[in-house]
């Protein structure tokens, strides 16, 4: 299927926070509690539409375990978006956010759009991290924030699409040289082809994005 | 007869050590030491069954059984006749034979055909049945060699040989770099064969070698270069301008190799004396370009065996030259048999009889065997249950694996939990001793009270992590499925107990994947634990926190690829893929996620034999990469694409074919390969300094 843009996403965060479940919910619209833990990385993809343009998300679901980090870091290269996930029922997964962020900042490109997700919000009765804390952290670090549930699908669609919309807006604003694939963006049919396209190209007038 | 049961095999000339019936001992060289590759291009099976020609096959069987194999030459090129399903036979040649061994009695004659269907051209070669008087080869053997409708899109090149003595033959090299055994045209017709192909597909003569015809040669320079690298006489790109051609250089090269081989008695390509064009090269290059891509593989086994035979046959009257030349030809440069044949008279005026010629021809071996069954297993044991010859057992398991019901008994031996010398009774005894030992270790954590746990963060964390992971391990298998499955609890208990048994290493993700099949097979908590312990003796370093065990294997892998496929190595280098992270999962959990459960168990028992090498798993990696090298390079995959591609191979890898390739690669790399793997690289046993798993907290 043809796309105007392809965005590479990575999903990062501690083991067991629900990264793979979020991906599966987004790509397959189902929750499967008994899939295998992730070793290395797994992939998913889905088409979405932003500003009437078909956009393909290629999503890298990484392994959360600490000792795999030296390897998972190599996957950050060239990601346009990142979903940084913690589990609202496990405080330590929230406490580790800073170190994940540091990794991302160090190994991903500077313009990567990061969405912070407090997952498992269906388990409100076991909540260990308040929504406000999540919001606060996001604000401090310049991230977009949402609480979501891979189980109920709440905000899952929104999280992925909002991230894409933000990236799309950055393209429109000319933040990226989209011809340089290290930004995690590939231009397909109907996308803005060149570095100056964002500002001067014909698509600029179509400007507004769906967010 | 079932079409699917006759699989397409692809052969390489890997002499190997098979047990020899004594009547053959008079022969100077055990050249049926053998070996073989099989590759089933994935599309073949699904799409092309209909191309096989059953009726024709049956007819040829009948014909053959009458003991008459000679057909008149008039069948040489029949007028195109219409087959079924729109398939058209555009070329048909009888009395085209392969020579699986040097024994004339084991030649297999058959019928070669070119078939056109739609716009695609296919080649088939179907053996006749029972033409040889003493019929050493069973029909099964014979069928192994059947070439079933290989599409020309899978063929890279065809090499023509016109020896001065003997028959014309061709070697068909596939895109994978592997090749079919030479097809000898007893009644001529190579020219017509090539001419017919030319009418249907793009066939160009190689610039480097007039006897090589490139099929579907790409204009793309990279592809072109790579194809040419696969050709016997091609000079590696980076090797400078001295593009030698013609028989002379080949002869010289052969001479050198003969010398090397005989003088050193080992695989010594790396010691080739400074041939100018390779002087500045990594010695491994030679092996890669000269040998592997030509499918004519040097084998350590063969060297060893041949030197043994030399020793044994010192006084049997064969001259040195005679002995040397066949080794040379057969082991190093089978494709160049013709050159050797032509040159032999200069060196030794011995009459080149047909048997001599046969000895010069390629040899191939048997495919992977059926799994070891209970009945046969008993033959490996003495009356008290000791394994009589562990080497033989390991070899047998290596070639065929185990019937599932035997795994429970044999895995413990393969893993080194039970010793091969132990009797039934000793094993029973050990089992009970180990059971109570296990219970003791298990009690160390079982007895931790909740109050104690509160003050024992490391324990709580480990337990939490393990509990999170066992519910995400093989839950789709009946054995582990469903809520509150007791086996999931056992999985947890074993892992937690292990993390106390080996507290320094602790628990790391991936361990549950390694334990799951073991528990499934042993179906006993303590037994599974101790087998897991034995496995972790070797694979523990995969889980070191600093990943050094993984890095050393990935490093060794890169060295092996450099040795065995330098164009691919260069490709990875150019594309910044030399960290081989895309093979991380393969190595960490021994391909557990790449094959379905049953296949994984098969692979593991094969790997655990450590039969041709402790590091066979690395050769498995190379074999898989080689299998897909055309695609990787052709599609110019970058790191991301490659990683995704490799991930998605999961479930699509042909295990048997891969194992055959891996074995071949391993043997052919021989000591050169072993030298590329640093000592202590898992699963070699670690140097025991008592602190192998010492926690390296600063890395955390
Ligand atoms: N209740 C609830 N459970 C969830 C949710 N998302 C995930 N889970 C559960 O959390 C467990 C871990 O989820 P995964 O998606 O495997 O976690 P992960 O982040 O991919 O973990 P790693 O692959 O180890 O890095 C699973 O067993 C799920 O059942 C959610 O939104 N709600
Ligand atoms: Mg996961």
């Amino acid at each position: 299927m043809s796309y105007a843009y392809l965005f590479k996403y990575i999903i990062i965060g501690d083991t067991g926070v629900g990264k793979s479940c979020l991906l599966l919910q987004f790509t397959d619209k189902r929750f499967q509690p008994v899939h295998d833990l992730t070793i290395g990385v797994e992939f998913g993809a889905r088409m979405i539409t932003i500003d009437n343009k078909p956009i393909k998300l290629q999503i890298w679901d990484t392994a959360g375990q600490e000792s795999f980090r030296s390897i998972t870091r190599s996957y950050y290269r060239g990601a346009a978006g990142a979903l940084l996930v913690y589990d609202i029922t496990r405080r330590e997964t929230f406490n580790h956010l800073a170190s994940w962020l540091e990794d991302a900042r160090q190994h991903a490109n500077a313009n990567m759009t990061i969405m912070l997700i407090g997952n498992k919000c269906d388990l409100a009765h076991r909540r260990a991290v308040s929504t406000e804390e999540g919001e606060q952290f996001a604000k401090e670090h310049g991230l977009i924030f949402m609480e979501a549930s891979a189980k109920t699908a709440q905000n899952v669609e929104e999280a992925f699409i909002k991230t894409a919309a933000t990236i799309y807006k950055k393209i429109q604003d000319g933040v990226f040289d989209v011809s340089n694939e290290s930004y995690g963006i590939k231009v397909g049919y109907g996308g803005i082809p060149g570095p100056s396209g964002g500002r001067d190209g014909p698509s600029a007038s179509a400007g507004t994005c769906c967010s | 007869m079932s079409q699917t049961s006759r699989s397409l095999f692809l052969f390489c000339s890997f002499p190997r050590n098979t047990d020899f019936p004594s009547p053959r001992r008079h022969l100077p060289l055990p050249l049926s030491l053998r070996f073989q590759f099989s590759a089933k291009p994935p599309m073949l099976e699904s799409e092309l069954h209909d191309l096989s020609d059953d009726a024709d096959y049956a007819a040829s069987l009948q014909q053959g059984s009458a003991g008459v194999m000679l057909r008149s030459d008039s069948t040489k090129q029949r007028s195109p006749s219409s087959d079924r399903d729109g398939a058209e036979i555009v070329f048909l040649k009888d009395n085209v034979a392969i020579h699986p061994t040097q024994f004339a009695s084991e030649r297999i004659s058959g019928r070669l055909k070119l078939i056109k269907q739609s716009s695609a051209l296919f080649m088939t070669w179907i053996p006749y049945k029972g033409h040889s008087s003493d019929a050493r080869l069973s029909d099964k053997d014979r069928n192994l060699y059947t070439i079933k409708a290989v599409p020309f899109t899978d063929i890279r090149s065809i090499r023509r040989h016109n020896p001065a003595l003997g028959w014309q033959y061709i070697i068909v090299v596939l895109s994978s770099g592997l090749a079919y055994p030479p097809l000898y045209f007893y009644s001529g017709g190579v020219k017509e064969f090539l001419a017919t192909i030319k009418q249907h597909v793009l066939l160009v003569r190689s610039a480097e070698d007039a006897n090589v015809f490139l099929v579907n040669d790409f204009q793309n320079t990279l592809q072109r270069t790579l194809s040419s690298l696969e050709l016997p006489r091609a000079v590696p790109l980076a090797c400078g301008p001295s593009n030698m051609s013609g028989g002379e250089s080949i002869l010289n090269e052969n001479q050198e190799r003969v010398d090397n081989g005989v003088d050193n008695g080992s695989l010594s390509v790396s010691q080739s004396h400074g041939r100018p064009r390779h002087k500045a090269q990594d010695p491994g290059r030679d092996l890669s370009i000269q040998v592997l891509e030509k499918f004519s593989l040097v084998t350590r086994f063969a060297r060893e065996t041949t030197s043994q035979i030399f020793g044994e046959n010192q006084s049997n009257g064969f001259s040195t030259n005679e002995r040397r030349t066949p080794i040379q030809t057969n082991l190093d440069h089978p494709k160049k048999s013709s050159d050797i044949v032509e040159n032999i008279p200069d060196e030794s005026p011995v009459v080149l009889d047909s048997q001599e010629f046969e000895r010069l021809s390629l040899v191939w071996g048997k495919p992977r065997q059926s799994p070891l069954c209970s009945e046969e297993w008993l033959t490996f044991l003495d009356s008290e249950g000791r394994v009589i010859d562990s080497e033989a057992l390991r070899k047998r398991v290596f070639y065929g694996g185990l019937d599932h019901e035997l795994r429970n008994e044999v895995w413990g031996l393969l893993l080194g939990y039970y010793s091969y010398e132990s009797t039934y009774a000793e094993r029973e005894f050990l089992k009970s001793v180990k059971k109570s030992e296990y219970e003791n270790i298990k009690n160390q954590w079982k007895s931790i009270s909740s109050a104690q746990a509160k003050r024992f963060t490391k324990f709580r964390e480990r337990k939490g992590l393990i509990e999170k992971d066992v519910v995400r391990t093989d839950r789709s298998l009946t054995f582990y499925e469903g809520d509150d499955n007791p086996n999931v609890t056992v999985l947890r208990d074993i892992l937690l107990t292990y993390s106390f048994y080996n507290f320094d290493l602790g628990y790391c993700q991936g361990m549950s994947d390694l334990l799951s099949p073991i528990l499934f097979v042993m179906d006993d908590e303590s037994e599974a634990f101790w087998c897991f312990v034995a496995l972790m003796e070797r694979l523990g370093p995969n889980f070191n926190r600093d990943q050094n065990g993984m890095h050393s294997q990935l490093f060794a892998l890169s060295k092996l690829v450099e040795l065995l496929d330098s164009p691919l190595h260069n490709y990875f280098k150019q594309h910044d893929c030399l960290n081989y992270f895309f093979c991380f999962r393969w190595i960490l959990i021994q391909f557990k996620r790449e094959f379905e459960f049953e296949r994984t168990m098969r692979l593991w028992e094969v790997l655990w034999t450590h039969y041709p090498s402790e590091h066979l798993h690395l050769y498995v990696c190379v074999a898989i990469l080689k299998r897909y090298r055309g695609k990787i390079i052709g599609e110019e995959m970058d790191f991301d694409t490659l990683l995704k591609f490799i991930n998605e191979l999961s479930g699509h890898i042909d295990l048997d074919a891969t194992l055959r390739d891996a074995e071949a690669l391993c043997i052919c790399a021989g000591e050169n390969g072993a030298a590329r793997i640093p000592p202590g690289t898992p699963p070699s046993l670690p140097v025991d300094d008592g602190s192998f798993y010492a926690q390296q907290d600063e890395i955390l």
Side-chain angles (χ1 to χ4, degrees):
Chain A
M1 201 167 160
S2 68
Y3 52 80
Y5 293 104
L6 181 147
F7 297 163
K8 171 179 167 180
Y9 276 22
I10 50 170
I11 315 184
I12 55 178
D14 277 10
T15 177
V17 296
K19 299 181 294 296
S20 300
C21 288
L22 284 166
L23 174 61
L24 195 70
Q25 182 59 259
F26 178 65
T27 56
D28 290 30
K29 300 194 192 311
R30 64 197 169 94
F31 176 67
Q32 181 155 11
V34 296
H35 64 270
D36 288 349
L37 64 96
T38 308
I39 304 263
V41 64
E42 272 152 27
F43 294 87
R46 204 188 113 179
M47 295 292 290
I48 57 170
T49 309
I50 287 175
D51 194 22
N52 286 323
K53 292 205 159 57
I55 291 180
K56 181 171 178 175
L57 302 183
Q58 187 196 81
I59 305 150
W60 294 43
D61 168 27
T62 66
Q65 173 160 303
E66 178 73 36
S67 59
F68 293 157
R69 281 232 209 159
S70 66
I71 278 156
T72 48
R73 278 186 197 117
S74 69
Y75 307 148
Y76 290 35
R77 189 160 59 170
L83 305 189
L84 171 55
V85 188
Y86 66 96
D87 175 350
I88 64 153
T89 70
R90 279 161 61 217
R91 178 109 219 147
E92 68 272 21
T93 67
F94 181 76
N95 295 341
H96 291 153
L97 288 178
S99 104
W100 282 111
L101 210 52
E102 198 184 302
D103 251 21
R105 295 259 143 93
Q106 216 173 345
H107 299 276
N109 78 69
N111 288 312
M112 182 168 76
T113 302
I114 303 176
M115 159 76 72
L116 178 66
I117 297 179
N119 189 37
K120 309 198 186 177
C121 71
D122 57 294
L123 300 174
H125 56 289
R126 283 169 45 197
R127 179 185 283 278
V129 183
S130 71
T131 310
E132 292 70 33
E133 284 174 285
E135 271 166 355
Q136 181 62 28
F137 185 92
K139 207 163 132 193
E140 272 168 29
H141 295 90
L143 319 174
I144 328 169
F145 174 66
M146 270 184 189
E147 283 190 348
S149 164
K151 187 171 180 177
T152 66
Q154 185 187 335
N155 274 344
V156 173
E157 190 90 0
E158 290 79 352
F160 281 88
I161 290 176
K162 187 156 184 189
T163 308
T166 310
I167 298 167
Y168 184 79
K169 177 116 192 341
K170 286 183 184 170
I171 297 173
Q172 300 288 300
D173 294 346
V175 173
F176 297 121
D177 171 1
V178 290
S179 65
N180 179 344
E181 288 189 0
S182 73
Y183 288 108
I185 296 163
K186 275 188 189 146
V187 183
Y189 176 77
I192 305 164
S196 58
R199 256 160 295 202
D200 311 325
S203 319
S205 55
T208 50
C209 81
C210 72
S211 69
Chain B
M1 116 194 33
S2 144
Q3 280 301 316
T4 43
S5 69
R6 283 199 271 133
S7 47
L8 172 80
F9 280 91
L10 188 51
F11 300 88
C12 273
S13 60
F14 306 117
R16 70 163 302 107
N17 199 351
T18 52
D19 313 299
F20 250 89
S22 45
R24 297 179 187 177
R25 295 211 44 155
H26 64 279
L27 285 159
L29 288 170
L31 287 179
S32 53
L33 305 185
R34 39 189 158 156
F35 220 81
Q36 122 185 357
F37 264 137
S38 144
K40 254 177 260 179
M43 62 169 295
L44 263 181
E45 229 176 22
S46 51
E47 295 170 23
L48 296 171
H49 290 157
D50 56 327
L51 274 169
S52 299
D53 192 341
D54 261 351
D56 195 54
Y57 183 68
S60 68
L61 297 186
Q62 276 190 345
Q63 182 200 22
S65 60
V68 183
M69 62 175 238
L70 297 171
R71 271 203 184 182
S72 116
D73 242 6
S74 64
T75 53
K76 188 161 27 182
Q77 195 159 2
R78 280 182 185 168
S79 56
S81 60
S82 206
D83 219 28
R84 59 190 151 95
D85 299 336
E88 185 192 348
I89 300 171
V90 294
F91 176 87
L92 186 150
K93 189 83 201 162
D94 276 303
N95 303 317
V96 174
I98 64 160
H99 299 173
T101 68
Q102 75 272 35
F103 305 111
S105 60
E106 292 186 358
R107 291 174 195 163
I108 305 174
S109 273
R111 176 182 287 180
L112 182 69
K113 281 194 284 191
L114 292 173
I115 299 169
K116 184 155 183 157
Q117 192 178 44
S118 309
S119 58
L121 190 67
F122 300 86
M123 186 183 91
T124 68
W125 178 82
I126 313 282
Y128 309 134
K129 192 180 179 186
H131 71 262
S132 66
S133 44
D134 59 350
R136 270 191 221 271
L137 293 168
S138 67
D139 289 346
K140 194 174 147 222
D141 281 341
R142 200 179 309 282
N143 289 342
L144 289 175
Y145 296 95
T146 301
I147 299 174
K148 215 173 68 180
V150 58
F152 269 74
T153 47
D154 286 358
I155 295 178
R156 171 178 296 142
S157 66
I158 298 171
R159 186 176 167 81
R160 178 181 65 183
H161 293 253
N162 297 314
L165 285 159
W167 303 279
Q168 278 193 312
Y169 63 95
I170 58 162
I171 294 175
V172 177
V173 181
L174 296 186
S175 317
S176 59
L178 305 179
Y180 289 108
L183 292 162
Y184 292 84
F185 285 59
Y186 287 170
S187 13
V190 171
K191 200 168 171 184
E192 294 93 316
F193 174 72
L194 291 168
T196 311
I197 295 171
K198 210 162 188 169
Q199 288 164 17
H200 299 281
V201 299
L202 182 62
L203 189 73
V204 293
R205 208 181 266 257
S206 157
E208 285 95 2
D209 185 333
N211 279 318
V212 171
F213 297 83
L214 304 173
V215 181
N216 300 312
D217 191 34
F218 307 95
Q219 291 315 301
N220 176 327
T221 21
L222 177 65
Q223 284 282 10
R224 209 193 148 85
T225 305
L226 290 167
S227 324
S228 69
L229 286 180
E230 316 278 342
L231 298 171
R233 298 184 187 183
V235 176
L237 251 199
C239 287
S242 56
N243 188 348
M244 299 191 207
S245 62
E248 198 197 318
S249 64
I250 299 300
L251 176 63
N252 293 340
E253 193 177 311
N254 283 330
Q255 257 336 104
E256 279 186 10
R257 285 169 188 251
V258 169
D259 294 340
N260 279 341
V262 173
D263 292 348
N264 306 331
S266 69
L267 194 162
S268 52
V269 179
S270 62
Q271 292 159 26
S272 304
H273 359 115
R275 258 172 287 160
R277 62 180 179 143
H278 290 300
K279 200 157 51 185
Q281 296 294 320
D282 179 336
R285 233 193 137 73
D286 266 356
L287 195 57
S288 171
I289 305 285
Q290 299 293 326
V291 184
L292 277 165
E293 298 301 6
K294 292 180 281 176
F295 84 85
S296 47
L297 304 178
V298 181
T299 88
R300 180 180 45 175
F301 279 11
R303 292 266 188 210
E304 284 168 357
T305 313
T306 44
S307 53
Q308 272 169 22
I309 298 288
F310 282 162
E312 286 170 20
N313 292 335
Q314 272 317 334
S315 57
N316 73 353
F318 284 90
S319 78
T320 311
N321 267 333
E322 274 177 304
R323 276 181 233 134
R324 282 183 177 183
T325 314
I327 315 167
Q328 185 47 44
T329 309
N330 282 289
L331 307 186
D332 287 2
H333 293 276
K335 281 187 174 180
K336 292 171 189 159
S337 310
S338 60
D339 302 309
I340 302 296
V341 172
E342 290 164 60
N343 285 307
I344 279 177
D346 301 336
E347 296 171 26
S348 62
V350 174
V351 181
L352 195 73
D353 63 11
S354 80
Q355 200 190 38
E356 183 87 12
F357 181 80
E358 284 305 312
R359 254 195 281 142
L360 301 176
S361 61
L362 291 174
V363 286
W364 309 275
K366 47 189 188 215
R368 295 194 55 79
Q369 299 165 7
S370 56
L372 179 67
C373 65
S374 312
E375 220 172 286
E376 194 186 346
W377 161 235
L378 291 178
T379 68
F380 283 93
L381 301 175
D382 69 14
S383 57
E384 291 173 65
R386 294 184 197 87
V387 175
I388 301 161
D389 180 352
S390 62
E391 169 90 8
L393 174 65
R394 284 166 47 230
K395 180 176 169 186
R396 177 65 183 87
V397 175
F398 177 79
Y399 283 107
L402 297 160
D403 260 358
H404 185 70
E405 60 266 27
L406 274 183
R407 289 187 170 131
N408 180 280
E409 197 177 345
V410 184
W411 274 22
L413 289 160
L414 290 176
L415 285 167
Y417 165 43
Y418 293 114
S419 85
Y420 289 115
E421 295 81 40
S422 59
T423 60
Y424 292 123
E426 284 163 353
R427 291 199 283 273
E428 276 310 306
F429 178 69
L430 186 73
K431 187 172 169 176
S432 65
V433 171
K434 285 291 186 180
K435 194 172 190 72
S436 67
E437 195 180 329
Y438 173 75
E439 292 303 331
N440 284 340
I441 308 167
K442 186 175 172 182
N443 261 326
Q444 291 171 11
W445 62 266
K446 275 274 182 189
S447 59
I448 293 173
S449 68
S450 57
Q452 189 188 353
K454 227 177 237 168
R455 296 165 180 81
F456 195 172
T457 310
K458 212 150 210 166
F459 170 66
R460 278 201 324 276
E461 280 176 3
R462 271 182 196 178
K463 187 155 178 273
L465 193 50
I466 291 168
E467 278 170 350
K468 240 178 228 17
D469 287 353
V470 291
V471 298
R472 296 186 294 160
T473 304
D474 291 328
R475 297 299 298 288
S476 52
L477 294 177
T478 327
F479 189 75
Y480 293 113
E481 84 185 351
D483 296 337
D484 303 318
N485 183 315
N487 294 323
V488 175
T489 313
V490 177
L491 214 48
R492 182 202 68 173
D493 288 358
I494 295 176
L495 288 169
L496 203 46
T497 306
Y498 182 77
S499 88
F500 272 72
Y501 174 81
N502 189 347
F503 201 85
D504 287 347
L505 185 61
Y507 170 77
C508 185
Q509 284 185 340
M511 287 184 182
S512 66
D513 275 273
L514 291 181
L515 175 59
S516 152
I518 293 179
L519 177 60
F520 173 74
V521 163
M522 302 315 290
D523 208 15
D524 174 281
E525 186 169 337
S526 159
E527 290 287 284
F529 173 80
W530 290 110
C531 283
F532 181 68
V533 166
L535 180 65
M536 293 305 287
E537 282 303 301
R538 291 178 170 278
L539 297 185
N542 283 11
F543 302 99
N544 283 354
R545 274 174 221 288
D546 62 1
Q547 296 284 312
N548 63 17
M550 286 304 297
H551 285 300
S552 66
Q553 288 170 89
L554 293 171
F555 176 76
L557 173 58
S558 77
K559 290 286 152 196
L560 286 179
V561 172
E562 187 178 15
L563 173 73
L564 296 168
D565 195 335
S566 61
L568 187 62
H569 171 81
N570 291 337
Y571 178 85
F572 287 154
K573 192 167 172 184
Q574 277 160 23
H575 291 78
D576 215 3
C577 296
L578 279 187
N579 61 24
Y580 281 81
F581 283 175
F582 46 88
C583 297
F584 178 78
R585 186 172 76 187
W586 290 1
I587 291 175
L588 185 83
I589 50 174
Q590 304 274 285
F591 303 92
K592 162 84 159 33
R593 301 279 182 104
E594 318 312 319
F595 297 100
E596 55 180 31
F597 205 70
E598 164 62 33
R599 302 262 85 195
T600 301
M601 295 190 285
R602 171 62 31 83
L603 171 62
W604 285 9
E605 61 212 11
V606 168
L607 293 179
W608 295 342
T609 63
H610 296 150
Y611 179 64
S613 161
E614 275 185 339
H615 298 100
L616 189 80
H617 70 300
L618 297 178
Y619 292 96
V620 170
C621 295
V622 181
I624 301 171
L625 292 174
K626 272 183 92 64
R627 213 152 247 267
Y628 292 98
R629 68 192 303 281
K631 204 168 158 62
I632 292 169
I633 297 172
E635 293 178 14
E636 298 198 48
M637 295 187 186
D638 58 10
F639 179 83
D640 281 18
T641 317
L642 183 61
L643 186 69
K644 187 161 182 290
F645 174 72
I646 298 282
N647 248 261
E648 287 164 1
L649 283 183
S650 172
H652 300 286
I653 304 170
D654 178 340
L655 180 61
D656 281 349
T658 302
L659 281 174
R660 272 189 298 265
D661 290 5
E663 182 197 13
L665 289 164
C666 175
I667 286 170
C668 121
E671 281 149 19
N672 270 328
R676 304 270 158 149
I677 304 171
T681 300
S684 292
L685 287 171
V687 189
D688 190 11
D689 64 354
S691 62
F692 204 81
Y693 300 116
Q695 200 81 271
Q696 285 155 306
D697 279 324
E698 69 279 1
I699 287 157
L700 281 171

